[in-house]
Short mmCIF file of all heavy atoms in Angstrom, two decimals:
data_model
loop_
_atom_site.label_atom_id
_atom_site.label_comp_id
_atom_site.label_asym_id
_atom_site.label_seq_id
_atom_site.Cartn_x
_atom_site.Cartn_y
_atom_site.Cartn_z
N GLN A 1 78.79 96.21 123.20
CA GLN A 1 77.39 96.25 123.32
C GLN A 1 76.77 97.51 122.82
O GLN A 1 75.71 97.50 122.13
CB GLN A 1 76.93 95.95 124.72
CG GLN A 1 77.11 94.48 125.17
CD GLN A 1 76.67 94.26 126.55
OE1 GLN A 1 76.58 95.16 127.39
NE2 GLN A 1 76.43 92.94 126.86
N THR A 2 77.34 98.66 123.16
CA THR A 2 76.83 99.96 122.72
C THR A 2 76.94 100.10 121.17
O THR A 2 76.03 100.54 120.53
CB THR A 2 77.59 101.11 123.42
OG1 THR A 2 77.48 100.91 124.81
CG2 THR A 2 76.99 102.44 123.03
N LEU A 3 78.05 99.66 120.61
CA LEU A 3 78.17 99.73 119.13
C LEU A 3 77.12 98.82 118.51
O LEU A 3 76.51 99.14 117.48
CB LEU A 3 79.64 99.28 118.73
CG LEU A 3 80.71 100.24 119.12
CD1 LEU A 3 82.07 99.64 118.69
CD2 LEU A 3 80.54 101.62 118.53
N ALA A 4 76.91 97.63 119.07
CA ALA A 4 75.84 96.78 118.55
C ALA A 4 74.47 97.35 118.64
O ALA A 4 73.67 97.35 117.63
CB ALA A 4 75.83 95.40 119.26
N TRP A 5 74.17 97.98 119.77
CA TRP A 5 72.87 98.63 119.96
C TRP A 5 72.67 99.80 118.94
O TRP A 5 71.58 100.05 118.44
CB TRP A 5 72.78 99.17 121.38
CG TRP A 5 71.49 99.82 121.75
CD1 TRP A 5 70.29 99.16 121.96
CD2 TRP A 5 71.27 101.19 121.91
NE1 TRP A 5 69.29 100.09 122.23
CE2 TRP A 5 69.90 101.36 122.22
CE3 TRP A 5 72.06 102.34 121.76
CZ2 TRP A 5 69.29 102.59 122.41
CZ3 TRP A 5 71.45 103.54 121.98
CH2 TRP A 5 70.10 103.67 122.28
N LEU A 6 73.77 100.54 118.66
CA LEU A 6 73.74 101.57 117.64
C LEU A 6 73.83 101.11 116.24
O LEU A 6 73.89 101.96 115.32
CB LEU A 6 74.87 102.58 117.96
CG LEU A 6 74.78 103.30 119.31
CD1 LEU A 6 76.10 104.09 119.59
CD2 LEU A 6 73.62 104.25 119.32
N GLU A 7 73.90 99.83 116.04
CA GLU A 7 74.01 99.19 114.74
C GLU A 7 75.24 99.67 113.90
O GLU A 7 75.16 99.90 112.71
CB GLU A 7 72.73 99.43 113.95
CG GLU A 7 71.53 98.77 114.58
CD GLU A 7 70.23 98.96 113.90
OE1 GLU A 7 70.15 99.80 112.92
OE2 GLU A 7 69.25 98.32 114.28
N VAL A 8 76.36 99.82 114.61
CA VAL A 8 77.65 100.10 114.01
C VAL A 8 78.26 98.82 113.58
O VAL A 8 78.41 97.93 114.45
CB VAL A 8 78.54 100.90 114.97
CG1 VAL A 8 79.94 101.12 114.38
CG2 VAL A 8 77.90 102.24 115.37
N PRO A 9 78.68 98.67 112.32
CA PRO A 9 79.32 97.44 111.88
C PRO A 9 80.64 97.28 112.63
O PRO A 9 81.49 98.17 112.73
CB PRO A 9 79.57 97.63 110.44
CG PRO A 9 78.68 98.77 110.04
CD PRO A 9 78.45 99.59 111.18
N VAL A 10 80.84 96.07 113.23
CA VAL A 10 82.01 95.70 113.99
C VAL A 10 82.55 94.40 113.50
O VAL A 10 81.84 93.43 113.29
CB VAL A 10 81.70 95.62 115.50
CG1 VAL A 10 82.95 95.17 116.25
CG2 VAL A 10 81.17 96.90 116.09
N ALA A 11 83.86 94.39 113.27
CA ALA A 11 84.56 93.13 112.90
C ALA A 11 85.63 92.83 113.95
O ALA A 11 86.27 93.77 114.40
CB ALA A 11 85.21 93.29 111.49
N GLN A 12 85.74 91.60 114.28
CA GLN A 12 86.80 91.24 115.23
C GLN A 12 87.75 90.29 114.54
O GLN A 12 87.31 89.25 114.00
CB GLN A 12 86.19 90.56 116.49
CG GLN A 12 87.25 90.10 117.50
CD GLN A 12 86.99 90.54 118.90
OE1 GLN A 12 85.85 90.78 119.23
NE2 GLN A 12 88.01 90.57 119.70
N CYS A 13 89.06 90.63 114.60
CA CYS A 13 90.02 89.76 113.97
C CYS A 13 90.47 88.66 114.93
O CYS A 13 90.24 88.71 116.15
CB CYS A 13 91.25 90.62 113.58
SG CYS A 13 90.80 91.85 112.36
N TYR A 14 91.15 87.66 114.37
CA TYR A 14 91.67 86.57 115.25
C TYR A 14 92.90 87.07 115.98
O TYR A 14 93.15 86.66 117.10
CB TYR A 14 92.04 85.37 114.42
CG TYR A 14 90.85 84.67 113.87
CD1 TYR A 14 90.52 84.66 112.48
CD2 TYR A 14 89.94 83.99 114.74
CE1 TYR A 14 89.43 83.96 112.06
CE2 TYR A 14 88.84 83.33 114.23
CZ TYR A 14 88.59 83.32 112.89
OH TYR A 14 87.53 82.68 112.41
N GLU A 15 93.64 87.90 115.32
CA GLU A 15 94.92 88.42 115.88
C GLU A 15 94.87 89.92 115.92
O GLU A 15 93.81 90.53 115.90
CB GLU A 15 96.11 87.90 115.10
CG GLU A 15 96.27 86.41 115.05
CD GLU A 15 97.39 85.93 114.22
OE1 GLU A 15 98.27 86.69 113.92
OE2 GLU A 15 97.40 84.75 113.87
N GLU A 16 96.04 90.54 115.92
CA GLU A 16 96.12 92.00 115.86
C GLU A 16 95.48 92.47 114.52
O GLU A 16 95.71 91.87 113.49
CB GLU A 16 97.59 92.45 115.91
CG GLU A 16 97.75 93.95 116.11
CD GLU A 16 99.13 94.35 116.46
OE1 GLU A 16 99.65 93.97 117.51
OE2 GLU A 16 99.74 95.08 115.63
N ALA A 17 94.76 93.54 114.57
CA ALA A 17 93.93 93.97 113.43
C ALA A 17 94.55 95.03 112.54
O ALA A 17 93.95 95.42 111.53
CB ALA A 17 92.58 94.48 113.94
N ASP A 18 95.78 95.51 112.85
CA ASP A 18 96.29 96.64 112.06
C ASP A 18 96.38 96.41 110.58
O ASP A 18 95.97 97.31 109.83
CB ASP A 18 97.72 96.91 112.64
CG ASP A 18 97.78 97.49 114.06
OD1 ASP A 18 96.67 97.60 114.61
OD2 ASP A 18 98.86 97.67 114.57
N GLN A 19 96.80 95.27 110.15
CA GLN A 19 96.92 95.03 108.69
C GLN A 19 95.53 95.00 108.05
O GLN A 19 95.39 95.49 106.96
CB GLN A 19 97.72 93.74 108.41
CG GLN A 19 99.15 93.85 108.69
CD GLN A 19 99.96 92.59 108.29
OE1 GLN A 19 99.35 91.56 108.13
NE2 GLN A 19 101.22 92.77 108.15
N GLU A 20 94.61 94.36 108.79
CA GLU A 20 93.23 94.30 108.20
C GLU A 20 92.61 95.67 108.16
O GLU A 20 91.85 96.05 107.16
CB GLU A 20 92.37 93.37 108.99
CG GLU A 20 92.67 91.88 108.77
CD GLU A 20 93.92 91.41 109.44
OE1 GLU A 20 94.56 92.16 110.23
OE2 GLU A 20 94.34 90.25 109.14
N ILE A 21 92.82 96.52 109.20
CA ILE A 21 92.29 97.90 109.18
C ILE A 21 92.88 98.66 108.00
O ILE A 21 92.15 99.32 107.28
CB ILE A 21 92.59 98.56 110.57
CG1 ILE A 21 91.82 97.97 111.66
CG2 ILE A 21 92.38 100.07 110.44
CD1 ILE A 21 92.24 98.37 113.02
N ALA A 22 94.21 98.58 107.84
CA ALA A 22 94.84 99.30 106.72
C ALA A 22 94.35 98.80 105.38
O ALA A 22 94.08 99.61 104.45
CB ALA A 22 96.34 99.13 106.86
N ALA A 23 94.16 97.54 105.22
CA ALA A 23 93.75 96.95 103.95
C ALA A 23 92.27 97.41 103.64
O ALA A 23 92.00 97.78 102.52
CB ALA A 23 93.80 95.45 104.00
N LEU A 24 91.46 97.40 104.61
CA LEU A 24 90.05 97.81 104.44
C LEU A 24 89.97 99.31 104.06
O LEU A 24 89.26 99.71 103.12
CB LEU A 24 89.27 97.54 105.71
CG LEU A 24 87.75 97.73 105.64
CD1 LEU A 24 87.11 96.88 104.57
CD2 LEU A 24 87.11 97.43 107.02
N ALA A 25 90.74 100.12 104.75
CA ALA A 25 90.77 101.58 104.49
C ALA A 25 91.35 101.86 103.06
O ALA A 25 90.85 102.69 102.37
CB ALA A 25 91.58 102.34 105.48
N SER A 26 92.29 101.03 102.67
CA SER A 26 92.87 101.19 101.32
C SER A 26 91.81 100.78 100.26
O SER A 26 91.69 101.48 99.27
CB SER A 26 94.16 100.37 101.24
OG SER A 26 94.71 100.50 99.99
N GLU A 27 91.17 99.68 100.51
CA GLU A 27 90.16 99.21 99.55
C GLU A 27 89.01 100.16 99.42
O GLU A 27 88.52 100.47 98.28
CB GLU A 27 89.62 97.86 100.05
CG GLU A 27 88.49 97.27 99.24
CD GLU A 27 88.92 96.74 97.87
OE1 GLU A 27 90.14 96.39 97.73
OE2 GLU A 27 88.08 96.72 96.96
N TRP A 28 88.56 100.80 100.51
CA TRP A 28 87.45 101.74 100.49
C TRP A 28 87.89 103.17 100.18
O TRP A 28 87.01 104.03 100.15
CB TRP A 28 86.74 101.67 101.82
CG TRP A 28 85.84 100.45 101.98
CD1 TRP A 28 85.52 99.53 101.03
CD2 TRP A 28 85.26 100.06 103.23
NE1 TRP A 28 84.73 98.58 101.58
CE2 TRP A 28 84.54 98.83 102.90
CE3 TRP A 28 85.26 100.51 104.51
CZ2 TRP A 28 83.81 98.15 103.89
CZ3 TRP A 28 84.53 99.82 105.44
CH2 TRP A 28 83.78 98.63 105.17
N GLN A 29 89.19 103.42 100.11
CA GLN A 29 89.74 104.75 99.94
C GLN A 29 89.22 105.71 100.97
O GLN A 29 88.75 106.83 100.70
CB GLN A 29 89.35 105.22 98.53
CG GLN A 29 89.97 104.44 97.38
CD GLN A 29 91.46 104.55 97.28
OE1 GLN A 29 91.98 105.70 97.12
NE2 GLN A 29 92.22 103.52 97.43
N CYS A 30 89.27 105.28 102.23
CA CYS A 30 88.86 106.15 103.33
C CYS A 30 89.95 106.17 104.42
O CYS A 30 90.80 105.27 104.44
CB CYS A 30 87.48 105.68 103.93
SG CYS A 30 87.53 104.12 104.76
N PRO A 31 89.93 107.11 105.29
CA PRO A 31 90.95 107.13 106.34
C PRO A 31 90.74 106.17 107.47
O PRO A 31 89.69 105.59 107.62
CB PRO A 31 90.87 108.64 106.87
CG PRO A 31 89.50 109.08 106.53
CD PRO A 31 89.04 108.29 105.39
N VAL A 32 91.78 106.03 108.33
CA VAL A 32 91.75 105.24 109.52
C VAL A 32 91.76 106.19 110.68
O VAL A 32 92.47 107.22 110.66
CB VAL A 32 93.02 104.34 109.57
CG1 VAL A 32 93.12 103.70 110.98
CG2 VAL A 32 92.97 103.27 108.51
N LEU A 33 90.97 105.91 111.72
CA LEU A 33 90.95 106.69 112.94
C LEU A 33 91.66 105.93 114.03
O LEU A 33 91.15 104.86 114.40
CB LEU A 33 89.49 107.03 113.36
CG LEU A 33 89.36 107.89 114.63
CD1 LEU A 33 89.87 109.32 114.36
CD2 LEU A 33 87.91 107.88 115.10
N SER A 34 92.81 106.37 114.47
CA SER A 34 93.56 105.67 115.51
C SER A 34 94.68 106.60 116.05
O SER A 34 95.19 107.47 115.30
CB SER A 34 94.19 104.41 114.98
OG SER A 34 94.91 103.71 115.93
N ASP A 35 95.09 106.31 117.25
CA ASP A 35 96.29 107.02 117.80
C ASP A 35 97.46 105.97 117.79
O ASP A 35 98.53 106.29 118.40
CB ASP A 35 96.01 107.44 119.23
CG ASP A 35 95.49 108.87 119.25
OD1 ASP A 35 95.51 109.55 118.23
OD2 ASP A 35 95.02 109.31 120.31
N ASP A 36 97.31 104.81 117.23
CA ASP A 36 98.35 103.79 117.19
C ASP A 36 99.39 104.22 116.12
O ASP A 36 99.06 104.35 114.95
CB ASP A 36 97.73 102.48 116.91
CG ASP A 36 98.76 101.30 116.92
OD1 ASP A 36 99.96 101.58 116.89
OD2 ASP A 36 98.28 100.15 117.01
N SER A 37 100.60 104.39 116.51
CA SER A 37 101.66 104.89 115.57
C SER A 37 102.00 103.85 114.55
O SER A 37 102.61 104.17 113.60
CB SER A 37 102.89 105.36 116.33
OG SER A 37 103.48 104.26 117.13
N ASP A 38 101.59 102.63 114.71
CA ASP A 38 101.76 101.56 113.68
C ASP A 38 101.22 102.06 112.36
O ASP A 38 101.71 101.74 111.29
CB ASP A 38 101.17 100.27 114.06
CG ASP A 38 101.99 99.45 115.04
OD1 ASP A 38 103.13 99.84 115.33
OD2 ASP A 38 101.43 98.49 115.58
N PHE A 39 100.15 102.83 112.37
CA PHE A 39 99.48 103.17 111.13
C PHE A 39 100.26 104.16 110.31
O PHE A 39 99.96 104.40 109.16
CB PHE A 39 98.02 103.68 111.44
CG PHE A 39 97.14 102.51 111.80
CD1 PHE A 39 96.77 102.37 113.13
CD2 PHE A 39 96.69 101.61 110.88
CE1 PHE A 39 95.96 101.29 113.50
CE2 PHE A 39 95.91 100.58 111.27
CZ PHE A 39 95.53 100.39 112.54
N TYR A 40 101.28 104.81 110.92
CA TYR A 40 102.10 105.77 110.10
C TYR A 40 102.96 105.01 109.11
O TYR A 40 103.47 105.60 108.18
CB TYR A 40 103.00 106.59 111.00
CG TYR A 40 102.21 107.65 111.82
CD1 TYR A 40 101.98 107.53 113.14
CD2 TYR A 40 101.71 108.77 111.17
CE1 TYR A 40 101.30 108.45 113.86
CE2 TYR A 40 100.96 109.74 111.86
CZ TYR A 40 100.76 109.55 113.21
OH TYR A 40 100.05 110.48 113.91
N ILE A 41 103.19 103.74 109.29
CA ILE A 41 104.04 103.00 108.36
C ILE A 41 103.22 102.33 107.26
O ILE A 41 103.83 101.79 106.29
CB ILE A 41 104.89 101.94 109.08
CG1 ILE A 41 103.99 100.87 109.78
CG2 ILE A 41 105.81 102.62 110.11
CD1 ILE A 41 104.80 99.70 110.29
N PHE A 42 101.91 102.37 107.32
CA PHE A 42 101.06 101.81 106.21
C PHE A 42 100.79 102.80 105.19
O PHE A 42 100.74 103.99 105.41
CB PHE A 42 99.72 101.31 106.83
CG PHE A 42 99.78 100.06 107.67
CD1 PHE A 42 99.70 100.11 109.04
CD2 PHE A 42 99.91 98.83 107.03
CE1 PHE A 42 99.71 99.00 109.78
CE2 PHE A 42 99.98 97.67 107.84
CZ PHE A 42 99.85 97.75 109.19
#
């Protein structure tokens, strides 16, 4: 709700979002912010 109120774009995946997050960051050439160690393998 706070992100919506601040008008931050939010996407919700059907399943785990790691692959979609990595794909979006790759497409946009920007970093990912996370402490999930799964992202070290992308």
Side-chain angles (χ1 to χ4, degrees):
Q1 286 180 339
T2 305
L3 293 176
W5 183 75
L6 295 169
E7 298 179 349
V8 174
V10 176
Q12 178 132 24
C13 296
Y14 289 111
E15 297 178 18
E16 191 169 296
D18 293 358
Q19 288 185 342
E20 285 76 7
I21 291 169
L24 188 57
S26 182
E27 177 71 25
W28 285 348
Q29 298 291 302
C30 68
V32 169
L33 181 69
S34 180
D35 271 349
D36 185 341
S37 61
D38 281 350
F39 289 104
Y40 288 107
I41 63 171
F42 287 105

